[in-house]
Amino acid sequence: MSNFSTSTTNTEFNPLISLNWRGDRLELLDQRLLPESIVMLDLYTPEEIWDSIHSMKVRGAPAIGIAAAFGVVLGAGQYPNEDIAGWLENVKKVCDYLATSRPTAVNLFWALDRMYAAAVQLSEDPNYVSISSLNEGLVQEAIAIRAEDEEVCRRIGEHALPLFQDGMGVLTHCNAGGLATAKYGTATAPMYLAKEQGMKLKIFADETRPVLQGARLTAFELQQAGIDVTLITDNMAGMVMSKGWIQAVIVGTDRVAANGDVANKIGTYSVAVLAKAHGIPFYVACPMSTIDLNTPTGAHIPIEERAPEEVTEGFGKRTAPQGIKVFNPAFDVTPNEYVTAIITEKGIIRAPFDQNLKALYSEPIS
Ligand SMILES: CSC[C@H]1O[C@H](OP(=O)(O)O)[C@H](O)[C@@H]1O
């Protein structure tokens, strides 16, 4: 167990807000303890941020990026003197360190690249005052990343909402909710906006083995928000579709390749194949910071493999023979032919994804 600073049970817990910058520390909801306990951790060092990302105390592509951005702030603040070149070198070292925390969600690298670019720009400022003013500039960049994510997620919800009608059954996998972002979520953004506008959606949340983000997080936050949510086990997805209970699937993603292949929580590919077999639209909701045009296809996306104990001891007891071989990939790749549309803050992208994703970067935000 890491040497974490004191944790506090936050009585003003807002299920949509999983991380807050407190000036000298990042206050972060320990998502591993949900839904039973609401514990906010106070993180003061990049090492604590690294561990929180790696151990999934904070998880979800945008939330990982935001946490890493504040990890850079905490690391930069540790630099001991007024040497600009040394300060910038230290920022690079912290970024490279945080980049090793998890390999799949491209938002981690997007946020670190943005923080380092900000540090370079700050270090070249002719009006340089002091290292502490450079650090303040990094704080503002991290705060901007978080604030933009909240706005982006709301826009994703606005673009996605017309795809849904009152009374629709919607299946989602894993947690691409407020807990995975600054607020609203990506896949859940239209669910929250539907609730705001009085539209009644019937959400079916896959429990999402082995870490149970659907059961522990999506079911939790949607129930807290008063949204109609039914928890199902992953192997029920086909049955509820065959019963005609599902009119759309919407999920988040950790990385979209240039050709529209989508890496997302393990089990997403199976849901996509089932959706296609039942003629159900399969939507992927994500900010542009999750689209990676430098990764040509899904085959090029690094897929994280996690500890066997997540599978064999995930329920607090051993559920498999001692020493059994385990394959525990945290993600899979859904080929673009199973994707109906990708919903971003700039609008809805449909096939041909390679052309239309590229075009996304040449048009102003609507
Ligand atoms: C809004 S991104 C959420 C995305 O991240 C999750 O992975 P993890 O819980 O391992 O960080 C899952 O793939 C979600 O779709």
Side-chain angles (χ1 to χ4, degrees):
M1 185 68 180
S2 307
N3 172 25
F4 273 109
S5 47
T6 50
S7 64
T8 53
T9 302
N10 180 325
T11 51
E12 305 107 47
F13 170 69
N14 172 339
L16 291 179
I17 309 292
S18 61
L19 40 88
N20 301 295
W21 177 244
R22 296 296 187 200
D24 62 345
R25 65 192 188 284
L26 183 67
E27 183 187 69
L28 185 134
L29 171 66
D30 186 343
Q31 298 190 32
R32 295 176 319 166
L33 303 179
L34 289 176
E36 286 171 317
S37 312
I38 295 169
V39 173
M40 302 301 284
L41 298 172
D42 294 318
L43 310 181
Y44 291 90
T45 67
E47 292 73 17
E48 291 180 346
I49 299 286
W50 188 98
D51 180 86
S52 297
I53 293 171
H54 186 73
S55 61
M56 297 176 69
K57 294 184 181 72
V58 60
R59 34 64 50 202
I64 288 171
I66 295 166
F70 284 108
V72 176
V73 170
L74 293 168
Q78 290 174 337
Y79 191 67
N81 56 41
E82 287 298 309
D83 155 29
I84 295 185
W87 176 83
L88 188 60
E89 197 181 312
N90 175 58
V91 169
K92 182 72 173 67
K93 210 162 58 170
V94 174
C95 288
D96 291 346
Y97 165 68
L98 290 167
T100 64
S101 53
R102 289 186 79 185
T104 305
V106 72
N107 301 63
L108 171 63
F109 312 104
W110 169 86
L112 293 172
D113 288 348
R114 177 166 162 177
M115 290 301 288
Y116 183 66
V120 169
Q121 194 173 8
L122 286 161
S123 68
E124 292 168 351
D125 182 352
N127 303 316
Y128 164 79
V129 173
S130 65
I131 290 294
S132 57
S133 64
L134 300 188
N135 287 333
E136 183 50 35
L138 286 184
V139 171
Q140 294 312 314
E141 190 68 17
I143 288 173
I145 288 173
R146 188 197 181 288
E148 288 166 24
D149 185 66
E150 184 171 326
E151 171 58 25
V152 158
C153 286
R154 187 166 179 92
R155 282 214 191 121
I156 289 169
E158 289 163 355
H159 286 299
L161 196 54
L163 298 170
F164 300 97
Q165 286 81 43
D166 195 51
M168 267 177 90
V170 181
L171 184 138
T172 191
H173 189 77
C174 196
N175 174 255
L179 291 167
T181 64
K183 193 173 180 181
Y184 300 114
T186 55
T188 60
M191 302 173 191
Y192 287 115
L193 268 63
K195 170 79 178 169
E196 279 180 12
Q197 298 183 19
M199 183 193 292
K200 290 187 173 37
L201 297 178
K202 295 180 196 137
I203 310 302
F204 289 79
D206 282 353
E207 69 173 352
T208 316
R209 282 215 64 179
V211 181
L212 304 179
Q213 292 92 326
R216 296 186 305 106
L217 306 178
T218 300
F220 172 73
E221 66 170 272
L222 294 183
Q223 186 187 55
Q224 294 264 330
I227 292 172
D228 178 344
V229 55
T230 302
L231 175 62
I232 61 172
T233 59
D234 300 334
N235 48 14
M236 295 176 189
M239 182 202 198
V240 296
M241 289 182 192
S242 70
K243 283 180 170 294
W245 295 351
I246 308 298
Q247 285 72 50
V249 173
I250 187 165
V251 298
T253 174
D254 296 80
R255 190 180 309 214
V256 179
N259 70 341
D261 292 348
V262 168
N264 196 48
K265 187 50 48 193
I266 186 69
T268 303
Y269 172 45
S270 312
V271 168
V273 172
L274 283 167
K276 194 171 182 97
H278 289 277
I280 295 169
F282 181 85
Y283 299 122
V284 176
C286 73
M288 288 175 63
S289 52
T290 307
I291 297 168
D292 180 9
L293 297 185
N294 296 320
T295 296
T297 73
H300 298 86
I301 298 176
I303 299 296
E304 177 186 15
E305 288 193 36
R306 295 184 64 89
E309 290 71 25
E310 282 186 355
V311 178
T312 60
E313 298 172 25
F315 294 91
K317 63 189 282 282
R318 191 151 53 80
T319 54
Q322 191 74 37
I324 190 72
K325 274 195 288 184
V326 174
F327 177 43
N328 182 23
F331 302 97
D332 59 24
V333 172
T334 298
N336 61 54
E337 59 261 34
Y338 291 96
V339 179
T340 306
I342 297 172
I343 305 148
T344 73
E345 63 272 32
K346 283 180 79 171
I348 297 177
I349 311 298
R350 298 179 188 271
F353 289 110
D354 48 356
Q355 296 168 30
N356 292 335
L357 286 172
K358 212 176 288 174
L360 201 57
Y361 291 83
S362 54
E363 291 150 16
I365 288 193
S366 57

